[in-house]
Amino acid sequence: MDKKMHVSTRKLSLVMSAFVFVVVKVSGQNCQEKVDIVFLLDSSGSVGEDNFNKMKQFLVRSISGFTIGPHSTQIGLVTFSPETTQFKLNTFTSSTAVQNGIKNTPYDNGGTDTHQALRYVGSNSFSTSAGDRVNSPDLLVVITDGQSSDSLQTKKEADNLKQRGIIIMAIGIGSGVKMTELLNIASNSSLVIEVNNFNALSSTLANKIHAMYCQAGEITTSTTTATTTTTTIPPTTTPSTTIPPTTTPSTTIPTTTIPTTTIPTTTTPLTTFTSPSSTTSPSQTTSTTPSTSTKHVSTTSFTTANLQDLPKVNIPFQKHTTSYGQAITIVCKVVSPRYPILEVFWEEFDNGITTRIDDKTSGIEGVTIPNPSLTIKKPMVNSTYTCKARNAMGNGSSAEFHLIVKGGLPTVTVQIPRNSTIIYGSPVVLNCTVYSSLKITAIYWKAFYDYDRENAKIIHEGEFNTAGITKANPSLTLTSPKFHDTGEYLCYARNEAGQTLSRRIPIKVDGGIPEVHIGSTRYTAKYGHKVTLNCTVVKATPPHFEVYWILETYKGKTIIRQGEFGTSGSTINNPSLTINSTTTTDPGKYTCVAVNAVGNGSSQVTVLQVTGGVPHVTVNSTNYISIFGNPVTLNCSVQSDPPHTNVYWKHSIDGKNTSNLNQKATGTEGITLQNPSLTIGKTNFAHSGYYTCFASNEIGEGISESIYLNVTGDYPNVITPTLKYTVDYSNDVTFYCKINATPQHYEVYWLQHIHSNFTRKISSKTWTSSGSTLKIKEIRSSANYSCVAVNAVGQGQSSIITLTVLGGVPKVKRQKLKYKTGKGYSVTINCIVKSEHLKILDVSWLVYNPRTKKTNEIHNGEVGIDGVSPENPSHL
């Protein structure tokens, strides 16, 4: 009860010396507006099952005034942690069904991961599939008894919900609650409530919060003008009540008016509720409140109250049996000879939860002063009812009435096994029996796995690795349990009255891979003899269903199963491996493997050595790569008992035609008894191909696997980045070429191409592994050049570089090749001379006389000659 509404304990007598009652008057008391409300209920270990039941009882009371349905208020319930949807917004369509759903909610004993719960509600509760309506306000009510495991993330998740337009109310219970976190969660401070303990979850507080639900729903649908008011009201029935005289003079009972306590809004300070034992003197209060919402509190004081002055409440029968859904009237008679009846109500007690019923409760009729009898339109569950009436002197109560409803909610029972341990992979049936006089609409199971206690797994019919979960067979069969199936299981059944859950069935999946031992870590056998490698499967839970061996050699791993490769054994009853006649292919490392539903169990490795027989010839690798001109060694190892007396190799280029190689083969080394490997000193392309190593002893010849040798290499690749150079006469020029050669080049030079049939070799003294440069000083004539690199494969040449020299010797051109003239006539033989950079120093003509076959040179100034000068090179 609010600290501002108390009466001193000094006035208490046999019944009471002061009676306080609360009337909550809120616009839309029954919350007829369409509102979608989701309760997020803390089910952590710190709450405890008794307190969890008190919270459920509190919820039932606080929603009793709602009209439930698809066109009215919808209510959903989620518990945490683990986050579990107990019922969605659109699951139930009546107040009674919602209350039954709350009563049947199990206690999970989990953690306080509020941030995860807020995220879960945002994704799973306020969604169209869960019944959330687009045109209805959304209200989330968070009830918790402790701090979140991650306060920063909790604020973030709450802010995300607020941004979506979801109004959040936060109710904190007990000393473990952190007020700043409640303020961070709630939409505003007026939607934060804190109580000292679970016992403070009273009917008064339930009525208070019911009004806040309604008001919170109006936050998003209307704008309320806040006004500051101080409101008082007269007594409920009459201004004053007079007690008739008994043995003392008559006493007029004064009426005490308590100042109005208003419903919190965004501008009011945080309201803190304490347990009923709190005592604070009443005083008049002025606060800011919406003009549509006020709470009126009236108290009346008495000096002494006699039991005979209380209402006499009687019900004719104390027990009745009815059918589910069949209306029933529980008759109640109320007599109050001296004082008028002020109120009639009933209380329902079910599953540890007491629920108040009055004339505003949906699904009932009666419960009025003229008609105190209770008519239940559609009874669903067994309950105990008490009729109560109040006059000015206090409450009168009837005896208990026990209503037995045949049908209603399903009855779900399970068999709890004495031994909850099951074997990995072995089928197990979790027996569940469901009885219902109404049609069953759904059967499912919930599993709380040990590895993820916070998130319940819902198991429906047909899910992998399960059977059953049907209306005909509600039991759950785990067809092949795995370790991750360890946890607790609950059976759920639903009919039109609601859903019921079973007790929890604990399951632990046990088992492991087989434990496998071998008799020895080393065995030796003579060539051609029998040998048994001993193996024992010491333990296998669940039993093993297969045995095999693994042989590891230089070739890789080979699986040996029963009867393969000339062996026996390798069975479930005889896991040992017997090799009936050893050969050179049998030596290696062996491992015994047993298989069960959990997995494979392996033994230690045991090594088998086979002595005697033809030589055992092995190679380290079956593929070699060598660069042209480099040496390569093809490794070969020989184990022989008796010792081998000969070694040789065979080479084939195409895999068909072969040639033998022995110690005397040209260009080779090795191929001896002590060193059977083959070394080729300088490889070329002809050495590519297939090679096989052979060794023989007195028993026979052993042969290795085939080796393929790939000799790689090519002519050097020579690239000139620049193919055209232009320089001035007498300047220097530098050419560059890039070289990529495998094998590496050992010589580089340049070629000057004088004309098509003549080149000049220019040695390069500055070449490296990556390229070469050629520098020519005081270049005087144009020419072409190329770069050449030589390796073991051959030589590679670059593209032609064209060098153009500007300036240099003059360019001379005749305009005509033939002239015709007569004796004694003058003739001019035209000549054009060009020199781009240098001055023309001299001009001359050569005259060839075919008769004399002589050539004369003509210069400027000779008799009968004009021109032939730098200014006029033509010959006149």
Side-chain angles (χ1 to χ4, degrees), residues 67-117:
T67 300
I68 305 298
H71 303 294
S72 302
T73 299
Q74 293 187 147
I75 292 179
L77 176 61
V78 175
T79 55
F80 73 100
S81 294
E83 297 75 39
T84 305
T85 299
Q86 300 299 336
F87 52 85
K88 301 177 182 179
L89 288 166
N90 56 3
T91 300
F92 299 123
T93 57
S94 70
S95 177
T96 303
V98 171
Q99 290 174 343
N100 288 336
I102 295 173
K103 295 174 183 177
N104 290 325
T105 298
Y107 172 59
D108 289 325
N109 191 23
T112 313
D113 297 324
T114 313
H115 61 290
Q116 293 182 6

Side-chain angles (χ1 to χ4, degrees), residues 575-713:
S576 299
L577 174 66
T578 297
I579 303 172
N580 298 316
S581 180
T582 57
T583 67
T584 56
T585 62
D586 294 323
K589 299 176 181 179
Y590 288 79
T591 304
C592 182
V593 181
V595 184
N596 67 1
V598 180
N600 298 354
S602 300
S603 70
Q604 286 183 286
V605 172
T606 182
V607 177
L608 172 62
Q609 180 180 4
V610 176
T611 61
V614 298
H616 182 52
V617 185
T618 59
V619 293
N620 291 349
S621 175
T622 57
N623 284 283
Y624 285 82
I625 297 176
S626 176
I627 296 175
F628 189 102
N630 288 356
V632 65
T633 297
L634 310 181
N635 292 298
C636 174
S637 298
V638 178
Q639 293 181 348
S640 180
D641 183 14
H644 57 292
T645 56
N646 186 36
V647 173
Y648 68 98
W649 287 75
K650 284 187 177 183
H651 173 224
S652 172
I653 295 178
D654 56 5
K656 297 179 180 179
N657 300 313
T658 61
S659 60
N660 290 350
L661 302 173
N662 56 31
Q663 185 178 1
K664 297 180 181 181
T666 303
T668 66
E669 296 179 1
I671 321 179
T672 65
L673 297 179
Q674 295 76 23
N675 178 24
S677 298
L678 167 62
T679 298
I680 302 173
K682 190 175 183 180
T683 57
N684 57 48
F685 294 129
H687 290 130
S688 294
Y690 298 90
Y691 291 81
T692 307
C693 183
F694 292 82
S696 58
N697 63 9
E698 62 186 47
I699 297 176
E701 187 174 69
I703 181 173
S704 73
E705 285 187 280
S706 181
I707 296 173
Y708 182 74
L709 171 62
N710 181 21
V711 179
T712 63

Side-chain angles (χ1 to χ4, degrees), residues 169-221:
M169 177 185 294
I171 302 176
I173 306 171
S175 59
V177 176
K178 190 175 181 181
M179 178 55 64
T180 55
E181 186 165 275
L182 294 178
L183 292 169
N184 287 336
I185 293 174
S187 294
N188 56 61
S189 60
S190 70
L191 297 178
V192 175
I193 295 176
E194 183 184 28
V195 295
N196 288 344
N197 52 57
F198 288 91
N199 293 325
L201 298 175
S202 61
S203 297
T204 301
L205 179 58
N207 291 336
K208 171 84 172 178
I209 293 177
H210 173 88
M212 294 176 69
Y213 296 160
C214 299
Q215 183 190 20
E218 294 170 357
I219 290 175
T220 60
T221 58

Side-chain angles (χ1 to χ4, degrees), residues 122-436:
S123 301
N124 296 275
S125 298
F126 290 110
S127 63
T128 304
S129 60
D132 189 38
R133 296 166 296 185
V134 177
N135 59 345
S136 299
D138 292 333
L139 172 62
L140 173 62
V141 182
V142 182
I143 306 178
T144 181
D145 80 324
Q147 299 181 30
S148 169
S149 59
D150 189 338
S151 58
L152 293 178
Q153 195 64 28
T154 295
K155 183 180 185 303
K156 179 180 178 181
E157 296 297 339
D159 289 342
N160 291 339
L161 296 179
K162 297 170 193 175
Q163 290 176 2
R164 291 173 50 184
I166 299 173
I167 305 301
I168 307 178
M169 177 185 294
I171 302 176
I173 306 171
S175 59
V177 176
K178 190 175 181 181
M179 178 55 64
T180 55
E181 186 165 275
L182 294 178
L183 292 169
N184 287 336
I185 293 174
S187 294
N188 56 61
S189 60
S190 70
L191 297 178
V192 175
I193 295 176
E194 183 184 28
V195 295
N196 288 344
N197 52 57
F198 288 91
N199 293 325
L201 298 175
S202 61
S203 297
T204 301
L205 179 58
N207 291 336
K208 171 84 172 178
I209 293 177
H210 173 88
M212 294 176 69
Y213 296 160
C214 299
Q215 183 190 20
E218 294 170 357
I219 290 175
T220 60
T221 58
S222 64
T223 303
T224 303
T225 303
T227 59
T228 303
T229 60
T230 303
T231 307
T232 61
I233 62 169
T236 305
T237 306
T238 59
S240 62
T241 303
T242 303
I243 302 176
T246 53
T247 58
T248 60
S250 60
T251 304
T252 301
I253 303 174
T255 300
T256 304
T257 302
I258 303 296
T260 299
T261 302
T262 60
I263 297 175
T265 66
T266 56
T267 58
T268 58
L270 178 68
T271 303
T272 301
F273 292 86
T274 59
S275 63
S277 61
S278 301
T279 58
T280 305
S281 300
S283 60
Q284 186 167 338
T285 304
T286 300
S287 59
T288 301
T289 177
S291 59
T292 58
S293 303
T294 58
K295 176 187 291 183
H296 306 283
V297 181
S298 174
T299 63
T300 306
S301 300
F302 304 94
T303 55
T304 305
N306 296 320
L307 289 176
Q308 62 187 18
D309 295 331
L310 298 176
K312 305 298 187 292
V313 184
N314 180 52
I315 52 177
F317 304 99
Q318 277 71 51
K319 185 177 182 180
H320 182 73
T321 301
T322 187
S323 298
Y324 174 87
Q326 181 177 345
I328 180 175
T329 298
I330 308 172
V331 177
C332 176
K333 297 180 179 180
V334 178
V335 178
S336 180
R338 302 184 63 184
Y339 302 100
I341 298 298
L342 303 178
E343 181 186 20
V344 171
F345 62 96
W346 288 69
E347 286 186 350
E348 176 190 12
F349 182 78
D350 176 38
N351 197 25
I353 297 176
T354 301
T355 304
R356 176 188 169 96
I357 301 174
D358 55 29
D359 59 346
K360 295 177 182 178
T361 302
S362 61
I364 63 99
E365 291 180 353
V367 196
T368 64
I369 296 175
N371 177 24
S373 298
L374 169 63
T375 297
I376 305 173
K377 296 179 181 180
K378 190 176 181 180
M380 295 183 178
V381 296
N382 298 341
S383 291
T384 299
Y385 297 87
T386 305
C387 182
K388 296 192 174 185
R390 178 175 60 83
N391 63 14
M393 300 304 295
N395 290 351
S397 179
S398 71
E400 292 182 345
F401 177 88
H402 301 281
L403 178 62
I404 301 173
V405 179
K406 291 184 177 180
L409 290 172
T411 301
V412 183
T413 57
V414 293
Q415 296 180 5
I416 308 298
R418 291 184 178 179
N419 184 5
S420 62
T421 301
I422 61 176
I423 302 302
Y424 184 103
S426 299
V428 63
V429 178
L430 308 183
N431 292 299
C432 175
T433 302
V434 176
Y435 172 78
S436 175

Side-chain angles (χ1 to χ4, degrees), residues 725-800:
Y725 289 81
T726 301
V727 298
D728 292 331
Y729 179 85
S730 193
N731 283 355
D732 297 345
V733 65
T734 300
F735 305 134
Y736 173 69
C737 68
K738 296 180 179 179
I739 303 174
N740 184 14
T742 302
Q744 181 66 46
H745 54 284
Y746 56 82
E747 181 184 5
V748 176
Y749 60 88
W750 292 77
L751 292 177
Q752 181 185 24
H753 301 269
I754 306 300
H755 51 73
S756 59
N757 295 325
F758 180 75
T759 58
R760 182 168 67 93
K761 182 177 180 180
I762 305 172
S763 297
S764 174
K765 299 180 180 180
T766 59
W767 65 271
T768 65
S769 60
S770 60
S772 173
T773 59
L774 172 63
K775 184 175 182 179
I776 304 175
K777 296 183 177 181
E778 298 183 358
I779 193 74
R780 296 185 180 276
S781 61
S782 300
N784 295 332
Y785 297 83
S786 63
C787 180
V788 180
V790 184
N791 67 1
V793 180
Q795 68 179 24
Q797 184 172 336
S798 72
S799 300
I800 297 296

